[in-house]
Amino acid sequence: MKKLKKPNVWILATVVALTTALAGCSGNSNGEGGSTKPSPTNTAKAGEKDNAGESEDAPWVFGSEPLEFTAYTHYGWQDFPEKMEDVPLWKYLKENKQLNIKSIQAKGNHAQLMSTMMASGDLPELIYGDRYNPDIERLIDNGKIVALDPYLDKYPNLKKWLDPQLMDLLRSKDGKLYKFPNWYTNKSTNTAGYVVNKKIYNELDQPPLQTMDDLYAYLGKVKEKYGDEVVPFEPDRTVDGQGIGVLYTGFAEGNNYKSLSSDVQGVIKDNKLTSLFMDPSFRESQKFVSKLYREKLISQDMFTQDRGKVLEKLMTGRVAVYAGSGPTTYASQAHNELIKTDPEAGYFMIKPIHKAGLDQSNIHPGGYDRLGWNITTITTKAKDPEKIFAFLDWLTGPEGMTIQFFGPEGGNWKGFDENEQPIFTDQYDPAQVTEIQALNDRVMIVGNTSYIDPAKMKYENAKPPEEQNWSARYQSTITWPSANDITALNNKLNPEPDSELGDIRQKILDLITQVLAESATASSDEKVDQILDKAQADAESYGYNKLLEWRTEQWLENKKTLGME
């Protein structure tokens, strides 16, 4: 969850969609129908002078002169690379665009480090994090974040590619835009769902995997045949919701994975948000999870393992079924690794698993927010905020997005066609592209899904399914079609952190974190009910109903802003 995608332990991200704007290179023709007319972009080769640079009001051209700034990612589970050479994109930017990013490392102590930086006023110049993280909201309220509005007309990409309604939704209470969105889109970007180990599935005679009963029976067969050598069901980091949140969506039509997140903490019923603890489908799903836990059909360290451990298990083929908010990133890596030595190995994705009798078309393992997941902000400590914005705007445009996903021009691609899409060359290397995308994942901070998804599919759609990029294939056929639009439910539902409602939110967040672990590892169904009954009583004493009423108002207001009512 890039993703419950994607910073606060409950943020839905995942990662990844897995899953930009006019920037760029001139569209050089290479004999494949590309345009030779230069695009109107904000870029220049390193060392070149911007002819318009003589005017004080002219846009600064990224790459025309050196740019250096400090950067920090406000997530406990990741840091930016210590050295720019550690990831292909940053290495390219350093060598070709005269960019030097000095990464500030939290090494897991992000909350403490941010508190120290805020107290001292010694802030990074760029901060990447959760869209509504309370610390970032405090920085905005205290005038420590730069408003981006003065740059929107000067640098074309964000304004071109981001829907104006979405930009309005992203604005702060003073009406200004402080946040540069990551993975904003005009269609589904969901990467949540179920991944199945192909070799194990074939060895167990390919039984049906459609209902929860099917899943339970299959996991039992895995346990019986492989014992402790294989994890029957891998839910990734359950402390972030992840796989158990995906399971929850299969116990009632219209369930939202987002219901478990820190900025919802409730279930939609009769056009209002109601208690998660009293939701019958949540109780049923937690009983199912606890049953899997008691019978050792689910990872026994799901609340404590780090993501490196999850990847290691997948890479060695020791997982039968894997579920999460963004399983495509790790599963695609593991698939490509396993098939190197065994063509019959690897992974595939399946349609949403659901309780028997439900309509599968109304089951949504994940939703998509048209504003994406994370955000990037520029602080008032920046020596030249406009140049940092110019860099971000280039990065979210065609050239920046294409280099992030396919490497530098001249290898897998050369020039752009009349639709600003990259022209792929005969040297296109699918394995290299997969590796580039995986390695660049943690520095893709202003992703433009509206641009890059069509660019990816342009190449993949020209090939038969079995030869397509693993992630692209299953996103287009499984994860994108199974998602629902949760944009209205995913924005501005967090109250002021230091307010009464903010205190209630934090108490409910702590309670849900505790309850998820206790109920998922409960000794019986009766114990699950006891845990959730007590949680409801505690929540009511904290003011849960008041928070749900306020969030309902915000959700309905968001729907109005987006023209959904």
Side-chain angles (χ1 to χ4, degrees):
M1 293 187 170
K2 265 262 182 343
K3 270 84 341 319
L4 286 173
K5 212 194 82 221
K6 327 39 142 331
N8 167 316
V9 298
W10 294 101
I11 198 70
L12 279 167
T14 63
V15 199
V16 215
L18 335 114
T19 21
T20 303
L22 178 59
C25 285
S26 299
N28 299 320
S29 174
N30 63 357
E32 297 179 50
S35 170
T36 59
K37 185 174 70 174
S39 301
T41 62
N42 175 43
T43 185
K45 294 180 181 179
E48 283 186 351
K49 289 288 185 181
D50 175 20
N51 292 332
E54 298 172 3
S55 169
E56 192 172 307
D57 294 330
W60 179 75
V61 180
F62 173 60
S64 63
E65 60 185 11
L67 173 64
E68 178 178 286
F69 58 84
T70 55
Y72 163 70
T73 175
H74 193 34
Y75 287 128
W77 45 271
Q78 76 165 11
D79 285 318
F80 283 137
E82 290 193 49
K83 298 181 297 183
M84 292 193 68
E85 294 79 7
D86 289 344
V87 292
L89 173 65
W90 278 19
K91 184 175 186 291
Y92 170 86
L93 295 175
K94 184 174 184 178
E95 295 175 351
N96 296 273
K97 295 293 185 180
Q98 305 188 73
L99 180 64
N100 186 33
I101 300 175
K102 301 171 71 174
S103 172
I104 294 176
Q105 305 281 305
K107 300 188 183 302
N109 297 314
H110 69 298
Q112 299 92 319
L113 178 58
M114 178 61 91
S115 295
T116 300
M117 293 189 298
M118 291 172 70
S120 67
D122 188 17
L123 295 167
E125 294 173 80
L126 180 148
I127 298 175
Y128 170 72
D130 178 8
R131 190 185 309 153
Y132 298 111
N133 182 276
D135 289 332
I136 294 177
E137 294 300 320
R138 290 187 185 98
L139 290 172
I140 291 173
D141 290 342
N142 289 309
K144 301 298 183 182
I145 302 296
V146 175
L148 307 180
D149 302 83
Y151 312 131
L152 294 176
D153 289 328
K154 201 169 184 179
Y155 301 91
N157 290 322
L158 182 61
K159 188 173 180 179
K160 173 179 178 178
W161 293 93
L162 181 62
D163 186 312
Q165 288 182 324
L166 297 178
M167 187 177 291
D168 286 343
L169 192 62
L170 190 58
R171 292 181 182 279
S172 294
K173 58 190 176 183
D174 63 1
K176 295 180 180 179
L177 182 70
Y178 295 94
K179 304 168 182 178
F180 201 121
N182 194 28
W183 302 124
Y184 55 95
T185 184
N186 55 12
K187 64 178 185 60
S188 175
T189 57
N190 170 56
T191 57
Y194 297 87
V195 174
V196 178
N197 185 307
K198 179 182 176 183
K199 192 174 185 68
I200 292 174
Y201 186 66
N202 289 339
E203 290 178 352
L204 292 176
D205 300 323
Q206 304 179 0
L209 275 177
Q210 297 180 358
T211 69
M212 292 296 171
D213 293 335
D214 292 339
L215 177 62
Y216 175 72
Y218 181 69
L219 300 180
K221 291 179 181 179
V222 171
K223 180 69 176 175
E224 181 180 358
K225 182 174 178 63
Y226 300 99
D228 294 336
E229 294 180 8
V230 171
V231 176
F233 187 81
E234 176 53 67
D236 210 319
R237 278 179 51 82
T238 310
V239 70
D240 296 333
Q242 292 296 338
I244 64 172
V246 172
L247 286 173
Y248 162 69
T249 64
F251 279 88
E253 294 179 22
N255 270 3
N256 287 295
Y257 179 82
K258 188 69 180 173
S259 289
L260 278 65
S261 73
S262 63
D263 48 354
V264 176
Q265 301 168 322
V267 177
I268 296 174
K269 186 174 294 184
D270 298 327
N271 211 35
K272 64 180 181 180
L273 286 171
T274 61
S275 172
L276 174 66
F277 307 117
M278 298 304 293
D279 177 33
S281 63
F282 178 65
R283 291 189 171 223
E284 189 174 7
S285 71
Q286 286 304 96
K287 289 173 183 177
F288 184 73
V289 172
S290 70
K291 182 179 181 180
L292 298 184
Y293 185 81
R294 292 193 301 272
E295 297 180 16
K296 297 186 176 180
L297 301 179
I298 194 170
S299 176
Q300 299 294 286
D301 59 351
M302 58 183 172
F303 283 97
T304 57
Q305 65 185 351
D306 61 31
R307 302 208 73 211
K309 181 66 177 297
V310 175
L311 179 59
E312 186 274 331
K313 285 186 279 188
L314 290 166
M315 295 287 280
T316 52
R318 294 187 292 110
V319 170
V321 180
Y322 169 46
S325 65
T328 55
T329 298
Y330 280 2
S332 62
Q333 286 181 256
H335 174 83
N336 290 329
E337 181 63 27
L338 291 172
I339 63 174
K340 288 179 181 178
T341 55
D342 184 354
E344 300 304 314
Y347 296 93
F348 63 96
M349 294 196 76
I350 58 174
K351 291 184 177 181
I353 296 175
H354 54 88
K355 182 181 175 181
L358 300 182
D359 182 350
Q360 188 182 64
S361 66
N362 290 327
I363 303 299
H364 310 295
Y368 67 96
D369 181 348
R370 283 179 279 153
L371 270 173
W373 289 279
N374 336 83
I375 51 92
T376 297
T377 58
I378 303 169
T379 76
T380 54
K381 292 291 289 187
K383 292 182 287 292
D384 199 329
E386 180 176 337
K387 290 182 179 179
I388 297 177
F389 184 88
F391 157 63
L392 297 175
D393 196 71
W394 173 87
L395 195 60
T396 205
E399 185 182 21
M401 290 304 302
T402 300
I403 291 172
Q404 290 179 74
F405 274 78
F406 304 107
E409 184 177 15
N412 295 303
W413 66 282
K414 184 174 177 60
F416 296 93
D417 64 20
E418 65 279 5
N419 297 315
E420 301 179 72
Q421 297 293 346
I423 298 170
F424 297 110
T425 68
D426 293 339
Q427 288 75 47
Y428 187 98
D429 184 341
Q432 183 190 63
V433 167
T434 298
E435 182 180 18
I436 288 170
Q437 293 173 12
L439 292 173
N440 283 337
D441 181 67
R442 60 176 169 155
V443 296
M444 293 179 177
I445 60 174
V446 288
N448 178 351
T449 312
S450 297
Y451 174 81
I452 201 61
D453 277 354
K456 290 189 295 183
M457 295 314 299
K458 173 186 175 182
Y459 178 81
E460 299 302 329
N461 286 337
K463 300 188 299 183
E466 64 274 10
E467 295 179 15
Q468 291 177 1
N469 171 277
W470 194 95
S471 293
R473 175 183 179 184
Y474 289 113
Q475 285 171 1
S476 64
T477 59
I478 300 291
T479 66
W480 291 345
S482 66
N484 61 332
D485 185 345
I486 60 167
T487 307
L489 194 64
N490 208 38
N491 291 277
K492 297 186 176 178
L493 267 66
N494 276 332
E496 296 286 338
D498 299 321
S499 66
E500 178 190 4
L501 286 173
D503 290 340
I504 296 171
R505 170 198 172 274
Q506 187 58 51
K507 289 177 181 177
I508 300 301
L509 172 58
D510 294 341
L511 181 62
I512 290 180
T513 304
Q514 174 186 338
V515 166
L516 273 182
E518 290 181 351
S519 58
T521 58
S523 57
S524 66
D525 288 354
E526 293 74 21
K527 187 65 174 175
V528 172
D529 281 327
Q530 291 172 16
I531 291 168
L532 295 178
D533 286 343
K534 183 178 185 304
Q536 177 63 23
D538 289 343
E540 289 178 358
S541 71
Y542 298 153
Y544 188 29
N545 291 333
K546 188 174 183 179
L547 177 63
L548 290 172
E549 289 173 4
W550 180 83
R551 281 180 160 163
T552 296
E553 293 175 2
Q554 298 298 111
W555 169 56
L556 294 176
E557 186 62 31
N558 286 345
K559 291 176 71 175
K560 186 182 299 184
T561 300
L562 294 170
M564 298 173 67
E565 284 192 342

